Amino acid sequence: MKKKLLLIALILISSLALTSCSEKDPLLGKWQEPITGITLKFNDDNTLVIERDGTSFTVDYEKREPNIIAITDTGSVSMPVQSMTYEIVEDQLIVTVDQVDTVFTRTK
């Protein structure tokens, strides 16, 4: 009986460890706004690539609680820090700036 409980405990601990290691930030990846065609690509190195019609630029971003993204200057683009709230619902990213929602759909 003790061996069986030990085996079950080891399986549970192993599955929890594997689950927590493979958990990926749901914000990472590429998102597109269908009307304007603007894409946002959040990278795991805290850079954000914003693209439209073949023109793109990269900025740094920082996630802040609760669900706030702060976009900062990378040196290539001169801009003040911009903050926006976000929510992810299934494959949609809802970004709110000045109480206006913009919905992006995950592409990759």
Side-chain angles (χ1 to χ4, degrees):
M1 184 71 170
K2 285 185 180 181
K3 287 183 181 181
K4 200 177 215 182
L5 288 174
L6 182 60
L7 180 61
I8 290 171
L10 287 174
I11 291 172
L12 286 173
I13 291 170
S14 297
S15 64
L16 286 174
L18 290 174
T19 302
S20 64
C21 291
S22 66
E23 209 171 296
K24 183 180 173 186
D25 183 352
L27 185 61
L28 297 179
K30 194 170 184 179
W31 304 86
Q32 183 172 35
E33 199 284 323
I35 296 171
T36 62
I38 293 173
T39 61
L40 306 176
K41 184 177 181 200
F42 291 90
N43 299 306
D44 59 2
D45 64 354
N46 287 348
T47 58
L48 167 62
V49 179
I50 303 169
E51 182 178 1
R52 181 174 183 208
D53 297 330
T55 301
S56 67
F57 61 94
T58 302
V59 294
D60 292 329
Y61 77 92
E62 176 184 334
K63 286 174 58 176
R64 299 179 180 170
E65 294 298 326
N67 295 341
I68 295 175
I69 300 169
I71 297 175
T72 58
D73 185 4
T74 60
S76 63
V77 178
S78 181
M79 60 186 271
V81 174
Q82 301 289 318
S83 293
M84 62 188 82
T85 60
Y86 74 96
E87 179 182 9
I88 298 174
V89 179
E90 295 181 10
D91 280 341
Q92 291 188 327
L93 169 65
I94 304 162
V95 176
T96 305
V97 178
D98 295 330
Q99 300 178 340
V100 176
D101 292 344
T102 304
V103 179
F104 293 81
T105 304
R106 184 180 298 280
T107 62
K108 291 183 183 178

